[in-house]
Structures are given as C-alpha cells and as structure tokens.
Amino acid sequence: MVACTRTALLLVAIILCTSRPFSVLCDNAEVPPQMSVDELLSQGDQALKGGDFEKAMSSFTAAIKQDEKNYNTYYKRAGLYLVKGKQSAALSDLNKVLNLNPSFLQARLRRGKVKLTMGLFEGAIEDYEEVLKLKPGHDLAVPQLAQAKKGAKELTQARAAFNNGDHQQATTLATELLEVASDSREIRIMRAKAGIILKNPHLVIEDTTNVLKSDSGNLEALYMRGYAFYMIGEREAALKMYKEALRNDPDHSASKVEFKNVQKQ
C-alpha cells in the first residue's frame, strides 16, 4: 500500500513538472530575464561581425518579434539577408522598413539597389527618384537611377526580340542586362529559353543554376536544366531534374514527356 502511495505521488510530481512551460523548471531555478530589443540588436551585430550568421539571424528575428514597429530591426535583418544572397527576403524586410519610415533614405537607397539587381527596374526608378527628392544630387542615386532607366529600356527591347523570334538578339541584350540585374529571374529564364533554341546548353545550365538558388521549385528552370543536361550527354542528371520537377508538380506535362523519352534511351 505504501509503495502504491509513493508511486502515485511520484506520478503527480512528474505531471506537475511536465505540464509547465519549457522555460520554467521544477526546481524553481532562476530564469534569465528577457533581452531588450537593443540588446538583441547588439548581439546580432556582434554575431554578424564574427561570421555567425545563424546567431545573428536569430537575434534580429527575436528583436522583430518583440517590437514589430521598430523599423531598424527589419533593416538589420534585410542586410543579413543580402549577405546570404536572399534578395527576395531582403526586399520584403525593406518594404516593411519603408512602410514604417518612408523617409529612411538609406533603406530606400538599399531597396532601389535590390530591385535593380532583381531586374525590377521600374520599382528601382521610383526609389531612386524618391531618394533624390530627399537628397538632391545624391552621389549613388544619380548613377543608379541612370542604370535603372537604361535597364528598363533594354528589357523592353529584349522582350520584343524574344517574342519576335530573334533569340540571338534577345540573348545579347539579356547578357548586357545581367551585368546589372544578375538576380533577375525573368531575364535568366528568358536567356535560358533562348539558349535551348540556340543549342547553348552551358548558358542554360548557368542561368537555371542562378534561378534555382532562390527558387528551388521553379518548374521552367528544372525542365530546361534537365533538357540542357541531356544535350551534353548527362542522362542521369537530366532524369534527376525531371524527377524534381514532377515531385513539385506531378502533372507537369513537359517534364513527363521528356522524362519518359530520356528513360527510353
């Protein structure tokens, strides 16, 4: 009877312990106080300087969760996203920064540069023009605005050339554009499509590699990459790409057809 009572008491103790949050210990050990936003930002800055990107990201994200109205937290995390090559995530955070503080000149200048790199020329033009309203003659905004305007014009020309079947001209213009807009998904996909038609598999592989780094499930890129690998005799690599496309979309007809064709070889 005594043994049963002791067992029951032990079960109650276990239940009481395990029913509490992780941060609360059954032995009533002192819980460290929550870090302030400034402390988290400082911790993130130090981690970033030391190359500990994971800790820096964790710190900046924790600061955002504490204060979603603090534009500086988003700005710092956007900078880290850029260091990691995540342009789309950086753009999202910079949008939040400027929603909270439209006159933050450095954030607008940075967003303009991100848009320029992503081939979003019209958006970049708007940002650079706004920078020049805030600070006329800004030494970075002036030349980058000129680049954005030139890019917008050349992109229109590249689209027209591609649609008119002049794939060599489209490739030439796309190559020039990528010197400024290296992370433009549209331009990379356009040049890859032209590369398929012009039988330039290495160019297709280069462009699809870039696209898939930021969009691993992009069906067009996976399909064209598979096609390019098959063109250079890399049968297994081609099958892998088609399988990945079909994993993302089992009904992707083009990948289905090519997968079956390559399997028969």
Side-chain angles (χ1 to χ4, degrees), residues 38-56:
D38 287 341
E39 288 171 333
L40 286 166
L41 291 179
S42 178
Q43 177 178 270
D45 287 339
Q46 290 302 313
L48 188 56
K49 288 178 183 178
D52 190 345
F53 296 155
E54 185 176 344
K55 184 176 181 180

Side-chain angles (χ1 to χ4, degrees), residues 51-66:
D52 190 345
F53 296 155
E54 185 176 344
K55 184 176 181 180
M57 181 63 72
S58 177
S59 299
F60 294 150
T61 300
I64 288 170
K65 288 180 179 178
Q66 276 200 45

Side-chain angles (χ1 to χ4, degrees), residues 63-177:
I64 288 170
K65 288 180 179 178
Q66 276 200 45
D67 184 1
E68 295 182 353
K69 299 298 183 183
N70 186 331
Y71 63 85
N72 196 40
T73 59
Y74 291 105
Y75 184 71
K76 285 183 176 289
R77 192 172 70 172
L80 180 55
Y81 277 134
L82 289 175
V83 170
K84 297 179 74 175
K86 296 185 176 182
Q87 306 288 342
S88 294
L91 180 59
S92 177
D93 273 359
L94 289 168
N95 288 340
K96 291 171 184 174
V97 172
L98 291 165
N99 284 338
L100 293 167
N101 184 1
S103 63
F104 189 178
L105 187 144
Q106 289 302 318
R108 194 167 292 279
L109 190 65
R110 178 173 283 183
R111 188 174 73 172
K113 181 63 175 177
V114 171
K115 289 179 178 179
L116 188 63
T117 303
M118 294 178 70
L120 305 174
F121 298 116
E122 297 300 334
I125 290 169
E126 290 177 6
D127 277 336
Y128 289 133
E129 288 179 342
E130 188 62 30
V131 168
L132 292 171
K133 287 179 185 177
L134 295 169
K135 190 174 181 180
H138 191 283
D139 58 349
L140 290 177
V142 170
Q144 288 178 1
L145 174 60
Q147 279 188 325
K149 288 181 175 180
K150 182 173 182 286
K153 182 179 178 180
E154 288 186 349
L155 181 54
T156 299
Q157 294 171 344
R159 288 169 179 159
F162 184 87
N163 291 333
N164 290 331
D166 190 348
H167 300 108
Q168 187 59 62
Q169 177 64 3
T171 298
T172 299
L173 288 167
T175 300
E176 291 177 6
L177 284 164

